[in-house]
Amino acid sequence: MSFGLNRAEVIGRLGADVTVNHLVSGGRVANLSIATDESYIDKTSGERVDKTEWHRAVTFQPGLVDMLVKHARKGRLVYLAGKLQTRRWRKEGEESDRFSTEILLAPGSRVQFLDRPNGNGAAAEAGEPANGSATPADGAPAQAGNAGGDEIPF
């Protein structure tokens, strides 16, 4: 018998509002796009290079989908802990398979917002473990949308 560990953790900004699709089975699936940034100094030019990596996350958990609909807005800083999952499918008319690796937010996963919904940037817990119960850190009702409509700051 073999054992393994499948865990993925990211802290980044949401690239768009959460997308929710309805399944034939009657359930819903929520999809997130998270950007993580890193920078380094190029050895040849000596200039700072900024790099953004994009990650996909998905959940089928009804309570978590509801929480994300209320709070997951473009630009929000979020911490996700889940497991990696690779899906394979074939598009009609194509001979080769397509693959997508994403972070699956299943029971036991965690979603935590690290800023307040009004966009003031103060670190605060707004999400709870993936059980769908989430309240903003200041106890105020969650605000929809990005305050001021600013672009993502990266």
Side-chain angles (χ1 to χ4, degrees), residues 106-138:
S109 297
R110 186 174 178 130
V111 174
Q112 181 177 343
F113 291 98
L114 302 175
D115 61 358
R116 294 205 172 139
N118 63 6
N120 69 3
E125 287 189 21
E128 293 298 326
N131 62 6
S133 62
T135 57
D138 60 0

Side-chain angles (χ1 to χ4, degrees), residues 31-69:
N31 295 285
L32 297 169
S33 179
I34 301 100
T36 56
D37 296 330
E38 65 179 281
S39 63
Y40 60 91
I41 304 298
D42 184 274
K43 289 183 180 182
T44 57
S45 69
E47 293 183 17
R48 179 181 161 158
V49 177
D50 294 320
K51 181 180 176 191
T52 301
E53 187 73 31
W54 288 92
H55 312 274
R56 294 176 188 222
V58 62
T59 187
F60 298 90
Q61 303 301 308
L64 185 54
V65 171
D66 292 339
M67 187 272 294
L68 291 171
V69 166

Side-chain angles (χ1 to χ4, degrees), residues 58-132:
V58 62
T59 187
F60 298 90
Q61 303 301 308
L64 185 54
V65 171
D66 292 339
M67 187 272 294
L68 291 171
V69 166
K70 290 180 186 176
H71 301 287
R73 299 288 180 251
K74 179 179 178 178
R76 295 277 321 257
L77 185 63
V78 65
Y79 164 77
L80 298 177
K83 66 180 187 175
L84 292 177
Q85 169 183 278
T86 301
R87 292 184 297 120
R88 177 171 59 178
W89 74 95
R90 184 170 292 183
K91 201 169 184 181
E92 190 174 325
E94 292 185 0
E95 294 181 18
S96 60
D97 290 342
R98 292 181 177 219
F99 297 88
S100 177
T101 301
E102 54 206 7
I103 300 168
L104 176 63
L105 302 171
S109 297
R110 186 174 178 130
V111 174
Q112 181 177 343
F113 291 98
L114 302 175
D115 61 358
R116 294 205 172 139
N118 63 6
N120 69 3
E125 287 189 21
E128 293 298 326
N131 62 6

